[in-house]
Amino acid sequence: RYGIQARRPSLHHQIFNLKEWSLRMKSLQGKRILVVEDEAIVALMVEDILGECGAKVVGSARTIEDGLSVAKTMDLDAAVLDVNVRGLRIDPIVEVLTARGIPFLLATGYGKVEFANGRNAPHIEKPYTPENLANGLANAIQLNELEQSRKFL
């Protein structure tokens, strides 16, 4: 009688979330993405989610070395990066992507991540939902586009 009752989201809230999800999916449509994740199951999940959003995973790496190779050579629109890959930080890949002007989203279980240059990067907390991943990556791309446009002003 006095227990906690769960509230269902209102229909309006559900429709808003569907509209937002649809917009995020469209913003990732056709984007070429690098995924660096050392846990195979998580990497496959990320690839599936991105595929459902219409993105194309053009590189999937399980090590820093493999990720660096893809980051240096492939034509990329963005990347999803695990912060800690086999005990090593993702910093070398971040440096390459930053130098090339390619946006990235960090996936971490460690909270806010700061790099040697003091730069903070867009991130999502593990474990994350498909919506968190899609929104986070779309936001990272949008933020990068804004920063790039400011360079030309």
Side-chain angles (χ1 to χ4, degrees), residues 33-118:
I33 311 295
L34 163 64
V35 175
V36 180
E37 170 61 64
D38 57 346
E39 294 184 41
I41 301 256
V42 176
L44 290 171
M45 179 194 75
V46 170
E47 292 170 24
D48 285 347
I49 293 168
L50 294 174
E52 287 176 17
C53 292
K56 297 175 185 172
V57 176
V58 296
S60 187
R62 304 290 183 267
T63 66
I64 297 290
E65 296 79 23
D66 291 345
L68 272 172
S69 176
V70 174
K72 289 177 181 177
T73 60
M74 296 291 293
D75 191 17
L76 301 169
D77 294 309
V80 177
L81 310 172
D82 183 5
V83 171
N84 185 349
V85 178
R86 296 188 180 179
L88 301 172
R89 277 195 35 137
I90 201 76
D91 297 49
I93 298 173
V94 166
E95 289 174 17
V96 169
L97 294 173
T98 301
R100 292 186 63 196
I102 298 170
F104 55 89
L105 175 67
L106 300 173
T108 178
Y110 303 107
K112 188 175 175 182
V113 178
E114 191 172 299
F115 293 97
N117 64 5

